[in-house]
Amino acid sequence: MNLIFLGQQGAGKGTYAQYVQEHYDFVQICTGDLFREEIKKRTKLGKQVEEKINNGIYIDDELTAKILEQRLKNKDTKKGFILD
């Protein structure tokens, strides 16, 4: 099972995601965390994200999807994951 939590900032998505993660052993995935991780690793995609952030440009769906697709290939997502 995979879950997607949608809502405004501060609505509690992260809080609920943490609860579900702890009780059902799902992996919580947050695109903001993925972006920071890619930047820290200095990957090709991370450099693209960093450039956009530094220039105040919205990180487009295509770049987000590429990074998310990579993350979903990890073995820890097989039991289930939460997109937050």
Side-chain angles (χ1 to χ4, degrees):
M1 177 178 358
N2 303 311
L3 304 170
I4 300 174
F5 292 170
L6 301 172
Q8 291 179 237
Q9 291 177 338
K13 300 178 303 293
T15 301
Y16 282 108
Q18 282 182 323
Y19 176 84
V20 173
Q21 177 183 14
E22 291 170 7
H23 289 81
Y24 296 97
D25 198 28
F26 285 8
V27 175
Q28 180 182 4
I29 300 173
C30 175
T31 55
D33 293 341
L34 292 179
F35 296 153
R36 286 184 283 279
E37 187 176 318
E38 291 295 314
I39 291 169
K40 185 178 178 180
K41 290 181 183 176
R42 303 298 299 156
T43 65
K44 181 180 176 182
L45 294 174
K47 290 176 185 177
Q48 291 175 22
V49 169
E50 184 175 39
E51 182 179 340
K52 288 179 182 282
I53 289 172
N54 289 341
N55 289 303
I57 299 171
Y58 177 75
I59 300 170
D60 57 87
D61 293 342
E62 185 178 338
L63 182 54
T64 301
K66 286 179 185 177
I67 292 172
L68 184 57
E69 183 179 10
Q70 276 184 288
R71 176 62 181 91
L72 293 177
K73 290 179 182 177
N74 291 357
K75 289 181 183 181
D76 66 348
T77 63
K78 300 305 178 214
K79 286 184 182 179
F81 59 85
I82 306 162
L83 294 180
D84 166 17

